[in-house]
Amino acid sequence: MPGPVSKVGWKIVGGAATAAGGAAASRSVDLAYRKIRRGEPRLDPAHPDTTWREAMVWALVTAIAVTVGRLAAERLAATGWVRATGALPPGMEAAAESLD
């Protein structure tokens, strides 16, 4: 069973990785928009001048990109955690045992 320091350490590492992955994915979506549409993305998809189609596509693409970015970053952090400590991050042990 992991100690309290280990739990806090994973919350910091996992949280930082998740935030960085989400932010990087969001920036990537902005850059892709600029390249594809040759213009600046609207800062507010809820603006009345934004079409429903454009707002929904923007929301969907952003949600997918941010979710995948966060997942990839957290998985990378978990792999690093295993290499550094030799054990799964706190909270992942129970999930791994239930798969057996």
Side-chain angles (χ1 to χ4, degrees), residues 57-74:
V57 168
W58 179 256
L60 181 65
V61 169
T62 301
I64 290 170
V66 169
T67 300
V68 170
R70 292 176 66 182
L71 174 63
E74 191 167 3

Side-chain angles (χ1 to χ4, degrees), residues 3-81:
V5 173
S6 180
K7 287 181 181 180
V8 170
W10 173 245
K11 284 189 184 267
I12 292 169
V13 170
T18 300
S26 182
R27 282 192 304 272
S28 296
V29 170
D30 285 348
L31 289 173
Y33 185 96
R34 285 185 187 104
K35 187 169 186 106
I36 293 167
R37 299 294 300 256
R38 301 193 194 315
E40 290 293 315
R42 288 207 188 270
L43 296 176
D44 186 6
H47 192 282
D49 290 342
T50 304
T51 65
W52 270 100
R53 182 178 185 274
E54 187 177 22
M56 295 301 288
V57 168
W58 179 256
L60 181 65
V61 169
T62 301
I64 290 170
V66 169
T67 300
V68 170
R70 292 176 66 182
L71 174 63
E74 191 167 3
R75 287 180 61 99
L76 186 63
T79 300
W81 183 273

